[in-house]
Amino acid sequence: MTWLYLSRVGSDAEDDSVDDEFSSLLQATSDQPSSDATKPASETEIQTESVRQGSLIHLSAGKTAENKIDRNLLEGMTAKQRKDFISMLRQVDYDAISEHLWTGDSVAKYVMRFFKARKCSVARALAMLKTDLAWREKHRWKEAVLTKKPLDLIGLSAEQLQALLPIWHQGYCKNGAPLSIQIFGAVRLPSLLAATTLDNICAFQSHHSEGLARLCSEKNVDKWVIIIDAASSDPRSFFAQGAFGWARSMNDIDANHNPERLGSMLIINAPKVLYTFYSLLSYVLDDVTKKKIRIFATREQWMPVLHELVDLDQLPPEYGGTGYNKFRRVYSAAPSHKSYLSTPSLN
């Protein structure tokens, strides 16, 4: 086990002193073997003692290439932001975080997502991270992706899910980002809530998001892309009882527990009423998220944008692609939830 003793970084230090400190922490891991996220963190962790704070800093070991990516986390940050980020790293619980990481992710990248989501405020980011870890400890989403069937979580048959809530991982964008397609135009909320509960729906969507996080780690990317197809929407569904509660729950899953994960969201085939619904919902969205959302009414508008993001072989014909609809193929072969395998089979 390697011990590194850090000297105090004063307020009048050179701008690159924080970079040197952060790099030294990461460099210590460069010769270590790649870690397996399913093994106890104690097998691969590196403990670094801070003379200034007398606390332990824990950074995950990993390949040199992975550490270079971590060094790039500091790009574009001011000297104060870099110092604050390192201060936050000193205060997090390595074991609690690493327990929920997929192989390829790191504590530094995970912490940075919360740091950015709270506009580089250490106190607010730590509070957000604490809430997230409690949520993950309670629900154990990583374990759920590995062991639980999506249809068992939502409590629907394959036929019901196809009719009421088609959501799936379709493929990958040109930059490697996982692509999720969600046909909300098919949703008839009263019928959906008559067949299952809001808690079950949220569990299903949390499972889906955690599956996307796993795919991000496998592809060595940080963000995913979501296509929301609003074709054939029933205007009554947007304002049905429970609609805003569901929308707020979805935002909580993504914004508070998967911050900085959304690369972009394209809402396609949008009816006029959706613009009204979005304007009412947007008050719960942060400005960064709003900038990532684009709404298109017609096929002629969204098709060029989608094809710029995704190769045609990753898209089914209904979206102008040459591939196949993975959701339809998998669920058509699963007449009941007992015979459906698990999220990874959609990959």
Side-chain angles (χ1 to χ4, degrees):
M1 186 170 293
T2 303
W3 291 82
L4 299 178
Y5 290 86
L6 303 180
S7 60
R8 175 185 173 88
V9 180
S11 58
D12 58 346
E14 295 289 336
D15 283 352
D16 61 356
S17 64
V18 179
D19 292 317
D20 293 340
E21 179 180 6
F22 188 71
S23 295
S24 69
L25 296 174
L26 293 171
Q27 185 61 42
T29 72
S30 62
D31 297 327
Q32 300 293 326
S34 179
S35 62
D36 185 340
T38 63
K39 295 180 179 179
S42 59
E43 293 184 17
T44 56
E45 71 177 355
I46 289 179
Q47 295 184 334
T48 305
E49 183 176 9
S50 167
V51 174
R52 178 173 64 173
Q53 297 189 7
S55 60
L56 293 179
I57 306 170
H58 303 279
L59 292 176
S60 60
K63 297 178 181 178
T64 302
E66 293 170 346
N67 292 330
K68 287 181 179 179
I69 292 172
D70 279 355
R71 289 190 187 95
N72 292 334
L73 290 175
L74 296 174
E75 290 186 1
M77 299 173 67
T78 66
K80 182 180 184 305
Q81 288 170 341
R82 294 195 296 269
K83 289 170 66 175
D84 286 346
F85 176 60
I86 292 175
S87 172
M88 183 174 175
L89 280 178
R90 290 192 173 105
Q91 300 175 60
V92 302
D93 185 333
Y94 175 90
D95 291 330
I97 295 174
S98 61
E99 184 179 1
H100 301 286
L101 295 182
W102 295 100
T103 301
D105 204 354
S106 72
V107 172
K109 288 193 288 186
Y110 194 86
V111 171
M112 178 60 85
R113 291 195 283 268
F114 288 84
F115 185 65
K116 287 183 176 180
R118 288 298 176 260
K119 299 181 178 179
C120 303
S121 166
V122 174
R124 294 176 62 214
L126 284 171
M128 182 185 186
L129 180 60
K130 180 180 179 181
T131 300
D132 172 68
L133 291 176
W135 179 76
R136 292 182 182 279
E137 183 64 27
K138 177 181 179 181
H139 297 288
R140 313 294 297 182
W141 294 119
K142 181 180 176 182
E143 293 178 13
V145 167
L146 295 172
T147 63
K148 294 185 179 180
K149 302 169 185 177
L151 292 178
D152 285 336
L153 288 173
I154 198 169
L156 299 175
S157 68
E159 292 90 342
Q160 286 176 311
L161 189 64
Q162 288 187 79
L164 298 173
L165 192 62
I167 295 176
W168 73 99
H169 165 240
Q170 171 62 33
Y172 297 92
C173 299
K174 294 178 181 179
N175 66 357
L179 174 68
S180 171
I181 297 180
Q182 307 180 10
I183 306 183
F184 284 177
V187 174
R188 300 296 181 262
L189 195 57
S191 298
L192 179 61
L193 291 177
T196 187
T197 67
L198 181 59
D199 286 345
N200 286 351
I201 297 170
C202 292
F204 173 79
Q205 292 181 305
S206 296
H207 185 281
H208 180 69
S209 293
E210 189 65 20
L212 294 178
R214 180 189 189 182
L215 298 174
C216 281
S217 294
E218 291 176 355
K219 290 290 187 177
N220 198 22
V221 297
D222 289 324
K223 301 180 185 294
W224 55 66
V225 172
I226 295 176
I227 306 300
I228 293 182
D229 189 345
S232 303
S233 297
D234 183 346
R236 294 171 295 182
S237 288
F238 291 108
F239 303 100
Q241 184 176 1
F244 284 98
W246 179 30
R248 283 194 298 269
S249 296
M250 289 172 55
N251 181 65
D252 176 66
I253 293 168
D254 292 334
N256 294 327
H257 301 295
N258 293 287
E260 299 296 314
R261 283 298 205 178
L262 180 64
S264 62
M265 176 184 290
L266 306 184
I267 302 176
I268 64 175
N269 301 318
K272 290 182 179 179
V273 67
L274 189 144
Y275 289 87
T276 301
F277 180 80
Y278 178 76
S279 66
L280 295 174
L281 176 65
S282 61
Y283 78 93
V284 303
L285 303 177
D286 59 80
D287 292 337
V288 174
T289 300
K290 290 177 186 177
K291 292 178 181 178
K292 297 176 181 179
I293 299 174
R294 289 182 285 177
I295 305 178
F296 303 94
T298 67
R299 187 179 183 87
E300 291 73 24
Q301 292 174 333
W302 59 257
M303 179 117 30
V305 179
L306 178 58
H307 291 179
E308 185 177 348
L309 287 173
V310 188
D311 286 325
L312 297 185
D313 63 353
Q314 295 293 303
L315 293 168
E318 56 265 39
Y319 298 107
T322 59
Y324 62 89
N325 185 308
K326 291 188 177 182
F327 179 89
R328 190 176 299 122
R329 177 172 295 189
V330 170
Y331 282 94
S332 295
S336 72
H337 69 285
K338 296 300 181 184
S339 63
Y340 179 59
L341 299 177
S342 62
T343 297
S345 66
L346 289 173
N347 300 341

